[in-house]
Amino acid sequence: MVIFIVRKIPPVTFSSYFMTDASIMEGYLAVCLCVTALISAPHTTSAKELSITTIKEDPYTMSRGSELEGYCIDLISKLSQKLGFTYKVHLVKDQRYGARDASGSWSGMIGEVMRGEADLAVAPLTVTATREQVVDMTTPFMQTGLSFLLRKDMAHEELNLGFLSPFSMEMWIGVLVAFLLTGICVFLVARISPREWEPESEGQSFTLVHSFWYITGALTLQGAGPHPKSVSGRLVSAVWWVFAVLLLVFYFANFSHMQHADNKHVSIKNFEDLSHQDVIKYGTVEGGSSMSFFKNSNNPVFRRIYQHMERGNTFVATIEEGITRAQEGNFAFIGEAVSLDLAAGRYCTLTRSEELVAMRAYAIAAPVDSPLVKNLTVAILQLSEGGELTYLRDKWWPNNCREGQDAHSANALGLQNLLGLFLLLGLGLALGLLIALLELLYKARSLAKDGKKSCCSALSHRVSSAFQRRGRRARPRRSQTRARPELQLLWIRVVMDAIKLKMESKKANYVGEVSNQKRHGYGKYVYPNSFFLYEGEWSMGRKHGLGKLMMRDGSFYEGEFICGEIEGSGLRHWAKTGDSYSGEFKQGHGSLTDSDGHAYLGSFHRDKRHGEGRIEYSNGDQYEGSWVLDQKQGQGVLRCVDGSLYDA
């Protein structure tokens, strides 16, 4: 504070001029000092060391050994360089941002600033009206809003080729390369090995085309003759068969898993979609500003979201816990967009909703009437105008995900998952070629010994004969009678499959009435796989009438059958999920109750909710509206337990 002192100066006479010159100079010096103080006052802060509190949260404040780093640490450093103050940073004791309890006391960083334990709070601290009443906030250094984070496969439906989804692009390229190398290897082994080709013979079974056709038959588990006769050829074919069988096992296992996951798929794009479903749970940080927004909101959608979180107790203690639960699936974490963008950039299976609500800002908190607020506000605006805040944002919010990477590619098997299988194939091909070369060397040595010539000349003649034979001799024309043995083998295979099916059917157990050697009347039938058991009425070998179909896992259906199919009225229970359905099947009216206690009563079409219906939730709320193919359609009415009505 600068104080001006005005003093009355007596008239100056000629005699006293030289006597007052020193006093006048002292007055000028005092005025200069005052002006200097006024100019420099806005650009300096208190000389004491400032105590700054913050909270550990990526990427704002993180530990690196004994030191701290992050967006907020860099921001403090740049502010200190502009304003010329020294500081000491410490983490808030209770790891809380700041909320008022029932007694009126404040916790977290806001509490430390109010009690004088810290001069500043620099963190992702949201500016709210309640906080502005107890502390002073600077101009925001970052703008954000509320959104939610969840797995990509639950966020939106994606167009993809379903039969290609079990394997990644790298995996399909690896399979193609393995296919080409194996076909060439089979052809080379057949040409090199003496057991597969002799110069005196007119035909060659394993041409290049037949080699690829042979390994293609192995991929379909059918086979295509003739088969290799040499040890090297049989080794290569055996390794390829093992590779093909295991590859198909992994393919169909992952394909089944992904199809099962797609059956539970729920498309969620915004907060309204999130509030109108019960499959995916959702929550936010307990005691934070996000929870306060939903709690105090008058919007029916946001009020319903808060009631769901409170009823299910889905709040989380920290942001890290919310992100972890979102990665595990079946959970959407609600938070501020900047924190969610960081998680989506690090974990490629996650995505943030494009919808932003409740726009808010992050600012620095200081005690009420603190002289630091004005200077910090000016410095933050200068950093923003100079692009330094944008630089810090790009530095601490990296994106490690490739464009176009989706949930299906994350779940698809890659080369790293089946690397051992490819190594096994490569080792088998190399060993087969080595054995074929040894067979060729042994044959060349025998020919050289019998013909009394050098081994090298015999080997050279043998190799040239093997690879030049096709060019010197015309390929024999295929006669019509040549296809007859193949047709005979095909018919034999069909007959053997029929006999095998007949033998398996004899393993089934049926006890009951028969007519014309067919199940007819009432009887009990145990299927060959022992997984299904049916007891009820039969008609000409098919389930027809009333009966009960039981499964080994405890699931069952009891009701009407028509021509072997479940149709009409009945009761279906799923043991694994605990869901039960009672009513008409394929189409009609019925009641579906799931394990959470939610019950749907209304119309069905092709085993899906279709038409008018009503859902009674386990908490007593009711929703009544229209459905189209298991999805809500049009306007509906939500009746809450407290009697309130909402249009949904």
Side-chain angles (χ1 to χ4, degrees):
M1 181 176 180
V2 180
I3 301 175
F4 294 93
I5 301 175
V6 181
R7 185 179 61 181
K8 184 177 181 181
I9 302 175
V12 180
T13 61
F14 182 80
S15 60
S16 61
Y17 177 80
F18 293 101
M19 296 175 59
T20 60
D21 183 70
S23 299
I24 292 174
M25 293 302 294
E26 290 178 358
Y28 287 158
L29 181 60
V31 171
C32 292
L33 291 175
C34 291
V35 172
T36 304
L38 288 173
I39 294 174
S40 60
H43 301 281
T44 59
T45 59
S46 178
K48 74 168 187 176
E49 183 180 64
L50 297 181
S51 176
I52 301 178
T53 181
T54 187
I55 191 170
K56 185 179 289 187
E57 179 182 335
D58 291 352
Y60 302 98
T61 303
M62 301 174 291
S63 297
R64 186 182 63 178
S66 59
E67 299 180 353
L68 297 175
E69 65 175 4
Y71 179 91
C72 289
I73 303 302
D74 288 353
L75 178 62
I76 296 172
S77 176
K78 289 186 178 295
L79 291 175
S80 67
Q81 294 174 8
K82 279 191 171 292
L83 301 179
F85 62 83
T86 59
Y87 61 91
K88 183 177 181 181
V89 180
H90 68 273
L91 297 175
V92 62
K93 298 176 183 178
D94 57 2
Q95 292 298 311
R96 309 283 289 185
Y97 288 90
R100 184 164 50 191
D101 56 20
S103 63
S105 301
W106 282 81
S107 62
M109 293 178 287
I110 299 296
E112 289 190 0
V113 172
M114 292 177 60
R115 293 188 297 269
E117 299 174 8
D119 299 309
L120 296 174
V122 182
L125 201 59
T126 307
V127 179
T128 62
T130 307
R131 290 173 177 170
E132 278 281 8
Q133 294 175 358
V134 295
V135 294
D136 282 350
M137 308 289 282
T138 65
T139 190
F141 60 83
M142 185 178 293
Q143 300 285 342
T144 184
L146 288 184
S147 186
F148 58 89
L149 186 78
L150 71 167
R151 287 179 62 92
K152 287 183 177 179
D153 54 354
M154 298 180 180
H156 50 83
E157 298 178 355
E158 298 168 352
L159 297 176
N160 58 81
L161 297 176
F163 70 95
L164 296 177
S165 58
F167 289 161
S168 64
M169 180 61 67
E170 295 81 3
M171 183 66 182
W172 284 116
I173 294 175
V175 172
L176 179 61
V177 172
F179 177 82
L180 295 176
L181 290 179
T182 304
I184 295 174
C185 185
V186 170
F187 171 73
L188 292 177
V189 167
R191 288 285 176 164
I192 294 174
S193 176
R195 292 290 305 277
E196 299 293 344
W197 178 82
E198 292 292 340
E200 295 80 10
S201 62
E202 289 292 331
Q204 166 62 33
S205 299
F206 280 94
T207 62
L208 186 61
V209 175
H210 182 77
S211 299
F212 283 108
W213 175 248
Y214 178 78
I215 63 175
T216 303
L219 281 176
T220 60
L221 301 182
Q222 294 298 318
H227 299 284
K229 297 177 290 185
S230 63
V231 176
S232 56
R234 291 179 178 179
L235 175 62
V236 171
S237 61
V239 171
W240 174 252
W241 271 83
V242 172
F243 175 84
V245 170
L246 293 180
L247 187 70
L248 291 175
V249 168
F250 285 113
Y251 174 85
F252 286 112
N254 201 31
F255 184 79
S256 176
H257 170 73
M258 297 180 75
Q259 290 299 314
H260 179 70
D262 287 343
N263 291 336
K264 298 183 177 180
H265 180 80
V266 179
S267 179
I268 299 177
K269 299 180 180 179
N270 49 48
F271 281 100
E272 187 172 3
D273 294 340
L274 193 66
S275 65
H276 286 163
Q277 57 81 41
D278 298 311
V279 177
I280 299 176
K281 298 180 180 179
Y282 47 88
T284 186
V285 176
E286 186 175 10
S289 60
S290 301
M291 188 192 78
S292 300
F293 167 76
F294 289 100
K295 182 178 181 181
N296 301 324
S297 176
N298 294 323
N299 188 303
V301 174
F302 300 152
R303 288 288 299 170
R304 188 159 55 246
I305 288 177
Y306 176 76
Q307 292 171 1
H308 179 88
M309 293 188 295
E310 186 180 33
R311 184 168 55 247
N313 193 22
T314 54
F315 297 108
V316 295
T318 61
I319 295 178
E320 290 75 13
E321 180 184 349
I323 295 173
T324 302
R325 291 190 60 181
Q327 286 182 277
E328 295 171 354
N330 203 35
F331 186 81
F333 174 61
I334 301 174
E336 291 167 343
V338 288
S339 300
L340 304 185
D341 287 339
L342 177 67
R346 290 182 176 178
Y347 310 107
C348 300
T349 58
L350 300 178
T351 184
R352 179 180 69 81
S353 171
E354 295 182 359
E355 184 181 23
L356 288 178
V357 299
M359 297 303 296
R360 70 257 321 271
Y362 295 156
I364 299 174
V368 178
D369 298 331
S370 173
L372 301 173
V373 175
K374 178 65 176 179
N375 298 339
L376 290 172
T377 296
V378 173
I380 291 173
L381 292 175
Q382 291 174 350
L383 292 176
S384 177
E385 294 169 359
E388 297 185 59
L389 294 183
T390 303
Y391 167 76
L392 292 180
R393 173 68 184 267
D394 296 337
K395 174 184 177 182
W396 294 104
W397 269 263
N399 190 347
N400 300 326
C401 299
R402 300 191 303 271
E403 291 294 332
Q405 186 173 7
D406 53 25
H408 280 282
S409 63
N411 294 328
L413 294 176
L415 282 175
Q416 67 277 7
N417 301 114
L418 300 180
L419 184 59
L421 190 60
F422 284 92
L423 291 178
L424 174 64
L425 177 64
L427 181 62
L429 297 181
L431 186 59
L433 285 173
L434 178 61
I435 294 177
L437 289 174
L438 293 177
E439 291 175 343
L440 179 62
L441 291 175
Y442 180 80
K443 184 68 175 180
R445 183 174 178 274
S446 299
L447 292 175
K449 185 177 181 181
D450 295 339
K452 296 182 180 180
K453 54 183 179 181
S454 65
C455 184
C456 293
S457 61
L459 179 62
S460 176
H461 175 72
R462 181 72 183 183
V463 172
S464 61
S465 299
F467 289 97
Q468 295 178 6
R469 174 179 174 80
R470 187 174 179 179
R472 292 200 309 265
R473 297 189 179 182
R475 184 176 179 179
R477 297 180 62 184
R478 179 176 295 180
S479 63
Q480 295 180 354
T481 59
R482 186 174 179 180
R484 292 177 183 175
E486 297 179 0
L487 292 175
Q488 294 175 359
L489 290 175
L490 178 61
W491 280 109
I492 292 174
R493 178 173 297 173
V494 171
V495 173
M496 293 299 295
D497 290 343
I499 295 174
K500 182 178 179 182
L501 183 61
K502 186 69 175 177
M503 293 178 63
E504 290 180 351
S505 64
K506 291 183 179 179
K507 297 179 183 178
N509 184 16
Y510 173 77
V511 178
E513 300 175 277
V514 296
S515 176
N516 295 328
Q517 297 183 353
K518 292 185 178 180
R519 294 182 286 271
H520 189 83
Y522 189 89
K524 181 179 181 181
Y525 179 71
V526 180
Y527 283 76
N529 55 14
S530 301
F531 185 83
F532 296 95
L533 185 149
Y534 173 80
E535 184 174 4
E537 298 176 353
W538 297 81
S539 177
M540 302 305 296
R542 291 188 292 184
K543 300 182 289 291
H544 190 85
L546 297 177
K548 185 175 183 180
L549 181 64
M550 293 167 284
M551 282 138 271
R552 187 188 300 167
D553 62 352
S555 304
F556 68 91
Y557 167 80
E558 185 173 7
E560 294 180 283
F561 290 82
I562 298 178
C563 296
E565 299 292 333
I566 296 175
E567 190 171 352
S569 300
L571 171 66
R572 177 70 188 272
H573 175 73
W574 291 267
K576 290 185 178 180
T577 61
D579 299 346
S580 296
Y581 172 80
S582 176
E584 298 175 355
F585 281 78
K586 290 198 173 179
Q587 63 183 22
H589 286 75
S591 175
L592 177 64
T593 305
D594 59 19
S595 58
D596 295 330
H598 306 323
Y600 169 83
L601 179 64
S603 299
F604 286 82
H605 179 69
R606 295 183 179 178
D607 299 335
K608 293 185 178 181
R609 292 174 292 187
H610 190 86
E612 298 296 323
R614 183 178 74 251
I615 288 183
E616 296 180 0
Y617 297 101
S618 57
N619 64 344
D621 295 348
Q622 294 184 2
Y623 174 85
E624 187 171 358
S626 299
W627 272 262
V628 174
L629 297 179
D630 228 20
Q631 298 292 329
K632 292 179 182 178
Q633 185 77 13
Q635 293 293 326
V637 177
L638 177 66
R639 294 185 177 88
C640 298
V641 180
D642 56 4
S644 56
L645 297 177
Y646 298 100
D647 292 332

